[in-house]
Amino acid sequence: MKNSVKISFVGALLAVAFMGCEPKSPIPEIKNGAHFVALPDPLPTAVTAANVNTIPVPLTGVASASMSFTTKSQNAVEIEKVDAYVSHVRGTVVTPAATTSAPHGVMVKSITTLNGKEQISVSELLTKTGFATANLRANDRIRVRFVATMKDGRVFSWQNSGPGITVNPLGSTFTPLLDVLLQ
């Protein structure tokens, strides 16, 4: 009986010693993905899955229009950065076309606040895509894609955010894109 108590005591000491010597990982433990939501500002009167990612802009007012949106994040401290990329979409044609080196479009800017208001001029977006205002048509879209990089190195974008992001944008925790719809 005395030996079994001694063995248990020594075993407990060894366990504590091994646990105390285990090195901590330099990468923070982040169990969830990126929580980053971008919503048009102002929101449509009746928010639906069809309009929650769309900012309508009159074709005649493109030169002075801005893409205004509100950002929200429940884990902003875990997000290193969120970058905004732009492309022009007409029907199924995307300009510039996605490539292996630039799958998201052309880099516009890093989002400065993950819980606040942002604004990007439509002229700046068009300049980045190389599209002239004179070449725009009704129903063209200027698509801004968001790419979130976590502090642990994981990257979230439209490519890996899952089918629920585009099928159910009202319930998503990550906004992969916002469209400026020219009307």
Side-chain angles (χ1 to χ4, degrees), residues 64-147:
S64 61
S66 286
M67 174 186 170
S68 299
F69 55 99
T70 301
T71 60
K72 298 177 184 179
S73 176
Q74 292 178 359
N75 66 344
V77 296
E78 298 169 351
I79 299 174
E80 182 73 31
K81 65 180 180 170
V82 176
D83 293 328
Y85 293 81
V86 66
S87 54
H88 174 269
V89 181
R90 178 175 288 155
T92 59
V93 178
V94 179
T95 308
T99 64
T100 305
S101 60
H104 311 296
V106 179
M107 170 71 160
V108 177
K109 67 182 264 180
S110 289
I111 303 302
T112 56
T113 177
L114 299 182
N115 283 300
K117 297 192 181 285
E118 286 283 337
Q119 188 169 321
I120 306 171
S121 74
V122 174
S123 313
E124 180 183 357
L125 296 173
L126 287 170
T127 300
K128 292 286 185 175
T129 63
F131 230 81
T133 307
N135 296 333
L136 295 174
R137 296 186 201 156
N139 296 318
D140 280 1
R141 292 179 180 266
I142 302 169
R143 178 156 293 160
V144 174
R145 296 183 191 269
F146 299 104
V147 179

Side-chain angles (χ1 to χ4, degrees), residues 11 14 19 27 34-35 39 67 85-86 95 98 104 115 117-118 131 143-144 157-159 168 170 177 181:
L14 286 172
M19 297 280 273
I27 298 173
H35 183 280
L39 298 170
M67 174 186 170
Y85 293 81
V86 66
T95 308
H104 311 296
N115 283 300
K117 297 192 181 285
E118 286 283 337
F131 230 81
R143 178 156 293 160
V144 174
S157 70
W158 62 277
Q159 292 177 310
N168 184 15
L170 293 174
L177 63 91
L181 175 61

Side-chain angles (χ1 to χ4, degrees), residues 13-44:
L13 283 176
L14 286 172
V16 169
F18 283 121
M19 297 280 273
C21 293
E22 186 177 319
K24 289 209 169 210
S25 171
I27 298 173
E29 184 177 331
I30 301 172
K31 294 181 181 176
N32 301 318
H35 183 280
F36 173 79
V37 177
L39 298 170
D41 187 18
L43 275 170

